[in-house]
């Protein structure tokens, strides 16, 4: 058992040694030890080992060694078994393969033997044959040569008859090939009378043949294939190539022109259909003609006996001229049709038609690389695209004007309550939303021109200039400019001619332009830039310029609105001052109706503006604003009251005092630019109205009660108008001025008591 | 009665007065203390039409008168007392003042309550030749400088007085042209063509010394570069044309 285990260990050890592995699986360098007691060594001797163990180790150690060995044995066993099980199949197949190899080698050996036997037989036979035929070899060759010569002669003699038959059967190609074969020989031996006779006959027949071919050629033939056949044969018959080219081209031209003339009479066809028909008929026939022409005259001519005649260049030239001419005719037709295409509702049809047109023309360029036809086609597409963009611009503009008309109608219609649908903010939002939507849809339609699946979208024009100049500049920027410009026109035209632009429209437009400036313009332009990646470096209008323009337009509109509304109120005040007899009026009992009307109008304007604009900043007012008295007036008027006589110095005092007061108060700018908030707008309007009132008052003469009536009116105005303006001192100042001027113009200035005025105002 | 106008040329024997809707031509020839009405012109039309201002044209032998009523300007021939021309809707609102260009026969300036000053050629009254919109309230008076008619003075109730240089419609649109004879004969230099660009119309300056509405402005008849303006508070301000402009016009 010990020897067994030792042997097994030897196997395992040999395995390990063989693979150079130790327990961790690493390959280790183990030197071969010569020790016979080394279990893993190659010179292991079990007897010596056991003796050594018995001598050296104690019982416990022996036991340990034994268990250890048993363990190792077991593990080795299991290792070996697993190895065998795993590689079982491989062992079997290895044995099979070896068996097969043995068999195959056996077979090959047999075949080789057979082969060598056959080779020996063949050598014997061949030696036999060459021996027998040696003598007749030369005779046989001579005979076969004579035989071929006779055959050729026979062919020649039969040639005329054969040619005639071919002529009858209309097998022209065959005839020509026959003739060609014989031509050189006949030429060479034409001095022999028999040959001459044959040659003459053949010539006559070939002439007839050529005539027939020419006839067929002239007649146009039934198809391009026939035509090309004729041409080929004629070329082989030495016809002058130029004539053939010309005739061929003229035939093709007449056919193609027939194609061209068909589409024009029907004007109502879809553009896609039109282009389709044109492409399918004309362009494909043109391509066919080009291809066959090239094959016949250019590529064929480069081989064979015609190569020396310089045909290709001449043919090429003619071809180019021909193609250009016909293409020009076709293009003019196409352009005319495209120009008729006016409707902007659906762009996709036009784009698809142009795409097909362009794609088909590429086929021509493939056939004729140096032709200008595809470029012209691209030009046509470009022109169509620009035209389309212009049409879209016009459509956008008319849409805008239409929406403005709608807004005007909505404003003119009896207005429902503010909560209803025709309030100003709703109208504004509807208008701006519809404009934005329209722009987006137009951009989407135009975007079709640059879609990825369109063949011409890769041309440099469409990638660059179309996007930046065509779309961004001509369409979007121009439209925005148009909006600003038309808004400005509302300011100008409505002025002198008594135009009927409702003030609400002016307000709406100014708010629209302001919104454009703050958000809409940059949004639209970013959208455009995203959709049409602008790569061109031509100058584009920056967003800031457009925004400034929009802001200017908004400012102008707002100024005009203020003017118009101010004018309305001023007219009322003016009429009221001019048409009344101020000298003989009675004591005032109540506030005049005009003033109440003015306050009502001011309130309604305030509400209207408040719908669209923010409140704005106001100077903080003092608590007793509505109860303020006319301090300047009363202080300056005091001396006059107590003066017994109306001395000339008294007016000077009052003047001096009032002037000094004016020096220290701020001057009022009547028509200054208004800001974009409600308070500023109202201030402007009220300034205009009060100034008018002032000027009118200065032109009339007042009696005592006239002055008192003005006092009452001004107090009433002061009670209500202060809350609309940004700085209430403004209103006070102007009203003071009014009363002061009135006092100057008064024949008998005796102002009313303040308390009485207040009572009247509160009652009225 | 709105105003009294003396005949611009001649020996001061004729006077026109405008009153309500009538223009009366008075003749002072017979005796120094009495005046007789030689002819009248009446404004026909609906409603109560009133003349608001008028001016005797210094051209055409003093035979023309221009008047304003409401928003229309009318021209009258004094020999027949009939209307020659009518500029409808000259201004959006009332026309306040008129003035004739002393050096150009057919040119007329008007100002009104729409804050604009308009220049008209009376041969084509459809459209003004030029419009100025420098003021921010009613323009009460417009005056041409009598010798250099490119200088126009306008006074307005926004307390401003504006002096404008209306070169393009004046009688010297290209500035002062030197006559060929005035060049000395001794010069050997070849005479060059003085091609100048037409100067641009501009506002020369704005005078804001007044605190209240300026109602009247006039040029001095003694010194063509001096002018005066009067405002509501009784302040009279006398100013000069800026020197730079004066030298540019003269030289």
């Amino acid at each position: 058992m010990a020897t067994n285990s030792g042997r097994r260990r030897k196997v395992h050890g040999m395995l390990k040694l063989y693979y150079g592995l130790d327990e961790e699986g690493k390959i280790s360098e183990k030197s071969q030890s010569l020790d016979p007691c080394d279990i893993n060594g190659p010179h292991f001797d079990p007897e010596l080992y056991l003796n050594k163990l018995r001598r050296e180790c104690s019982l416990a150690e022996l036991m340990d060694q034994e268990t250890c060995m048993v363990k190792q044995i077991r593990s080795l066993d299991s290792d070996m078994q697993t190895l065998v099980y795993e590689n079982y199949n491989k062992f079997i197949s290895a044995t099979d393969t070896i068996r097969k190899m043995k068999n195959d080698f056996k077979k090959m050996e047999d075949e080789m033997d057979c082969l060598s036997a056959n080779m020996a037989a063949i050598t014997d036979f061949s030696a036999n044959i060459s021996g027998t035929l040696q003598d007749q070899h030369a005779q046989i060759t001579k005979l076969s040569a004579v035989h071929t010569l006779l055959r050729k002669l026979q062919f020649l003699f039969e040639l005329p008859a054969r040619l005639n038959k071919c002529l009858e059967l209309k097998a022209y190609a065959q005839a020509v090939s026959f003739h060609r074969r014989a031509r050189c020989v006949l030429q060479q031996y034409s001095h022999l009378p028999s040959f001459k006779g044959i040659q003459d006959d053949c010539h006559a027949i070939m002439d007839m043949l050529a005539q027939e071919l020419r006839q067929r050629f002239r007649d146009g033939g039934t198809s391009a294939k026939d035509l090309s056949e004729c041409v080929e044969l004629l070329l082989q018959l030495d016809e002058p190539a130029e004539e053939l080219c010309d005739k061929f081209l003229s035939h093709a031209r007449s056919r193609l022109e027939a194609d061209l003339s068909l589409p024009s009479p029907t004007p109502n066809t879809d553009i896609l259909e039109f282009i389709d028909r044109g492409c399918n008929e004309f362009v494909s026939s043109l391509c066919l003609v080009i291809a066959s022409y090239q094959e016949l005259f250019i590529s064929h001519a480069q081989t064979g006996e015609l190569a020396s005649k310089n045909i290709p260049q001449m043919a090429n030239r003619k071809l180019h001229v021909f193609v250009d001419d016909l293409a020009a005719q076709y293009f003019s037709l196409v352009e005319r049709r495209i120009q008729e295409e006016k409707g902007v509702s659906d762009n996709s049809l036009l784009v698809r038609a142009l795409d097909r047109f362009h794609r088909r023309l590429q086929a021509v360029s493939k056939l004729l690389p140096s032709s200008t036809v595809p470029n012209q086609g691209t030009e046509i597409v470009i022109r169509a695209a620009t035209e389309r963009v212009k049409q879209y611009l016009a459509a956008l503009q008319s849409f805008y004007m239409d929406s403005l008309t709608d807004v005007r109608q909505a404003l003119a219609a009896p207005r429902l309550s503010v909560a209803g649908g025709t309030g100003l903010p709703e109208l504004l939002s509807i208008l701006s939303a519809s404009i934005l939507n329209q722009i987006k849809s137009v951009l989407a339609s135009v975007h079709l021109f640059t879609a990825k699946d369109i063949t011409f979208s890769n041309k440099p024009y469409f990638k660059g200039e179309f996007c930046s100049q065509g779309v961004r500049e001509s369409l979007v920027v121009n439209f925005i400019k148009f909006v600003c410009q038309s808004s400005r026109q509302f300011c100008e035209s409505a002025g002198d001619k008594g135009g009927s632009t409702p003030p609400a429209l002016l307000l709406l437009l100014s708010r629209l332009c302001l919104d454009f400036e703050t958000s809409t313009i940059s949004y639209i332009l970013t959208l455009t830039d995203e959709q049409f990646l602008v790569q061109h470096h031509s100058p584009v209008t920056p967003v800031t310029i457009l925004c400034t323009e929009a802001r200017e337009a908004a400012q102008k509109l707002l100024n005009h609105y203020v003017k118009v509304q101010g004018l309305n109120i001023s007219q009322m005040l003016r009429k009221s001052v001019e048409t009344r007899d101020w000298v003989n009026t009675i004591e005032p009992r109540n506030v005049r109706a005009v003033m109440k009307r003015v306050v009502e109008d001011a309130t309604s304007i305030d509400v209207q503006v408040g719908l669209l604009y923010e409140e704005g900043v106001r100077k903080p007012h003092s608590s007793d604003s509505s109860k303020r008295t006319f301090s300047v007036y009363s202080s300056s008027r005091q001396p006059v009251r107590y003066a017994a006589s109306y001395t000339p110095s008294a007016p000077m005092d009052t003047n001096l005092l009032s002037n000094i007061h004016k020096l220290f108060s701020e001057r009022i700018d009547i028509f200054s630019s208004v800001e974009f908030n409600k308070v500023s707008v109202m201030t402007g309007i009220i300034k205009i109205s009060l100034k008018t009132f002032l000027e009118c008052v200065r032109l009339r003469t007042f009696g005592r009660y006239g002055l008192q009536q003005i006092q009452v009116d001004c107090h009433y105005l002061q009670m209500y108008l202060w809350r609309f303006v940004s700085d209430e001192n403004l209103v006070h100042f102007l009203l003071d001025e009014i009363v002061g001027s009135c006092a100057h113009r008064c024949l008998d200035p005796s102002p009313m008591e303040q308390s009485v005025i207040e009572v009247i105002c509160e009652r009225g | 009665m709105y105003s009294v106008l003396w005949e611009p040329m001649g020996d001061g024997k004729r006077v026109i007065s405008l009153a309500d809707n009538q223009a009366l031509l008075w003749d002072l020839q017979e005796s120094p203390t009495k005046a007789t009405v030689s002819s009248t012109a009446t404004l026909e039309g609906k409603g109560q039409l009133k003349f608001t201002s008028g001016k005797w044209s210094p051209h055409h032998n003093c035979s023309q008168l221009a008047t304003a009523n409401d928003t229309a300007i009318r021209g009258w021939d004094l020999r027949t007392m009939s209307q020659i021309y009518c500029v409808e809707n000259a201004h959006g609102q009332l026309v306040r003042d008129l003035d004739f260009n002393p050096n150009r026969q057919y040119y007329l300036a008007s100002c009104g309550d729409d804050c604009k000053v308009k220049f008209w050629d009376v041969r084509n009254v459809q459209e003004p030749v030029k419009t100025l919109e420098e003021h921010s309230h009613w323009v009460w008076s417009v005056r041409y400088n009598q010798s250099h008619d490119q200088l126009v003075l306008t006074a307005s109730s926004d307390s401003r007085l504006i002096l404008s240089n209306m070169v393009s419609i004046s009688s010297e649109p290209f500035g002062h042209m030197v006559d060929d004879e005035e060049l000395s004969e001794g010069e050997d230099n070849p005479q060059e063509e003085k091609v100048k660009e037409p100067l641009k119309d501009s506002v020369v300056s704005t005078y804001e010394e007044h605190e209240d509405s300026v109602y009247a402005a006039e040029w001095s008849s003694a010194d063509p570069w001096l002018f005066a303006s009067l405002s509501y508070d009784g302040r009279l301000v006398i100013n000069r044309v800026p020197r730079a402009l004066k030298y540019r016009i003269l030289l």
Side-chain angles (χ1 to χ4, degrees), chain B residues 37-51:
Chain B
V37 178
S38 49
S39 45
T40 61
T42 318
L43 202 52
E44 312 286 338
K46 293 189 293 198
Q48 283 198 342
L49 294 176
K50 272 196 332 189
F51 283 123

Side-chain angles (χ1 to χ4, degrees), chain A residues 274 311 648 726:
Chain A
F274 177 83
I311 295 183
S726 56

Side-chain angles (χ1 to χ4, degrees), chain A residues 495-496 563 567 571 574 578 659 662-663 667-672 688 691-692 694-696 698-699 737 740-742 744-745, chain B residues 89 91-94 96 113-116 118 133 135-138 140 157-160 208 210-213 215 232-233 235:
Chain A
D496 303 334
K563 241 195 232 183
L567 181 66
Q571 294 283 57
R574 181 189 237 167
E578 283 173 5
N659 286 345
K662 273 190 219 162
L663 275 175
R667 174 159 3 169
I668 302 171
D669 230 356
I670 302 296
F671 266 13
S672 55
I688 294 175
K691 184 80 181 167
T692 315
L694 173 63
E695 296 294 333
C696 293
R698 283 180 182 170
L699 290 173
E737 268 299 307
S741 313
C742 186
H744 281 142
R745 299 282 305 174
Chain B
N89 276 329
H91 288 269
Q93 299 169 47
L94 206 54
R96 288 269 168 201
D113 282 353
D114 56 353
C115 325
K116 294 189 188 155
K118 292 195 183 177
E133 242 186 294
H135 285 289
S136 55
H137 206 249
W138 307 346
W140 284 80
S157 46
D158 62 357
S159 335
R160 286 200 188 88
E208 296 182 358
H210 293 283
E211 299 290 336
D212 208 328
S213 314
Y215 288 121
Y232 179 73
D233 45 3
R235 185 180 297 192

Side-chain angles (χ1 to χ4, degrees), chain A residues 155-430:
Chain A
F155 176 76
L156 276 178
F157 287 133
E158 286 178 6
L159 191 59
R162 208 179 288 188
L163 285 179
N164 267 328
K165 207 165 75 165
C166 287
L167 211 61
E168 276 166 40
L169 289 177
K170 300 212 188 291
Y172 299 122
Q174 242 181 341
V176 171
S177 67
F178 288 153
H179 178 73
R180 211 151 41 102
R181 284 212 307 228
R183 202 172 31 190
C184 300
V185 175
L186 286 174
Q187 197 64 32
Q188 208 174 359
Y189 292 109
S190 55
H191 54 276
L192 296 173
S194 48
F195 281 114
K196 190 96 169 51
I198 295 177
Q199 196 184 32
D200 290 339
D201 284 340
C202 287
H203 274 184
I205 297 176
M206 290 318 286
D207 281 342
M208 248 177 22
L209 183 72
Q211 284 279 58
E212 279 226 24
L213 281 177
R214 262 186 243 127
Q215 188 62 38
R216 264 184 72 188
F217 186 64
R218 222 169 300 154
D219 291 342
T222 46
S223 71
K225 203 154 163 300
D226 277 351
L227 204 59
S228 50
E229 221 186 290
C230 289
V231 168
E232 200 172 327
L233 295 174
L234 280 171
L235 270 183
Q236 284 175 352
L237 289 177
D238 280 344
E239 285 278 321
E242 274 196 40
E243 266 185 45
L244 281 179
C245 287
D246 284 340
K247 282 206 199 124
F248 181 77
L249 285 179
S250 59
H251 275 131
R253 178 191 290 265
S254 52
R255 259 208 326 276
L256 288 171
E257 275 174 3
D259 271 344
L260 274 183
S261 61
L262 280 176
S264 37
T266 51
N268 287 335
T269 45
D270 208 346
I271 181 145
L272 196 56
E273 259 182 57
F274 177 83
I275 298 278
D276 254 346
R277 191 136 43 101
C279 288
N280 287 338
E281 293 174 359
F282 177 75
V283 178
S284 22
S285 351
L286 183 66
C287 289
L288 245 131
V289 164
I290 294 177
S292 48
Y293 182 89
Q294 280 182 331
E295 216 185 285
L296 288 175
F297 293 110
I298 299 181
S299 40
H300 261 205
Q302 288 172 351
T303 58
E305 64 264 22
L306 305 171
S308 57
K309 291 189 195 161
N310 220 14
I311 295 183
Q313 278 92 327
M314 177 258 327
N316 236 339
R317 268 201 312 273
K318 287 189 190 280
L319 181 66
H320 273 116
V321 166
F322 171 73
V323 166
D324 287 342
D325 196 29
L326 278 172
Q329 285 184 21
Y330 178 57
F331 287 153
S332 64
L333 272 180
V334 168
E335 274 219 70
R336 214 179 324 146
R337 178 65 182 84
I338 288 180
Q339 272 164 8
E340 288 171 18
E341 192 72 16
K342 291 270 191 287
V344 293
S345 51
D346 186 12
N347 201 21
S348 58
L349 217 57
L350 179 67
V351 173
R352 281 206 332 254
L354 287 175
D355 178 38
R356 212 163 284 187
F357 174 70
H358 188 258
R359 217 181 309 158
R360 287 306 181 86
L361 284 182
Q362 301 301 356
V364 174
S365 81
K366 282 206 204 83
L367 290 173
L368 268 189
S370 58
S371 167
T372 58
V373 162
N375 285 347
Q376 286 177 356
T378 321
E379 301 259 312
I380 290 184
V381 170
I382 290 173
R383 277 200 289 268
T386 2
E387 195 56 44
R388 219 1 134 72
V389 166
K390 279 199 207 123
Q391 285 171 355
Y392 271 122
L393 179 64
L396 267 181
Q397 287 173 348
S398 67
F399 171 78
Y400 176 69
M401 296 314 284
D402 285 343
S403 357
L404 276 188
T405 324
D406 288 342
V407 166
R408 281 174 91 142
Q409 279 178 358
L411 286 174
R415 237 180 279 184
L416 309 169
S417 66
V418 178
T422 56
L424 277 181
E426 286 87 13
L427 281 176
L428 176 68
S429 55
I430 290 174

Side-chain angles (χ1 to χ4, degrees), chain B residues 55 58-59 99-104 109 119 142-154 162-166 170-171 217-227 239-242 245-246 249-250:
Chain B
K55 197 83 191 224
H59 305 290
D99 195 22
F100 279 93
N101 187 328
N103 296 338
R104 292 187 90 169
F119 296 87
V142 61
R143 288 280 177 268
Y144 276 102
N145 185 322
Q146 292 302 311
S147 18
H148 304 284
D149 58 329
Q150 61 262 51
L151 296 175
V152 178
L153 207 55
T154 52
I162 293 187
L163 175 66
S164 319
N165 187 6
M166 306 305 305
S170 72
S171 48
E218 285 289 349
W219 289 95
S220 156
S221 48
D223 179 358
W225 308 105
L226 211 52
F227 55 90
N239 271 302
R240 269 187 195 278
V241 174
L245 180 62
K246 170 179 170 185
I249 290 176
L250 279 180

Side-chain angles (χ1 to χ4, degrees), chain A residues 63-81:
Chain A
M63 303 278 293
D64 286 339
Q65 276 280 12
E66 202 223 329
T67 45
C68 180
M69 274 197 189
V70 166
K71 226 177 21 181
Q72 284 184 352
I73 288 168
R74 282 214 195 99
S75 77
L76 278 173
D77 251 341
S78 61
D79 279 347
M80 200 180 67
Q81 276 180 5

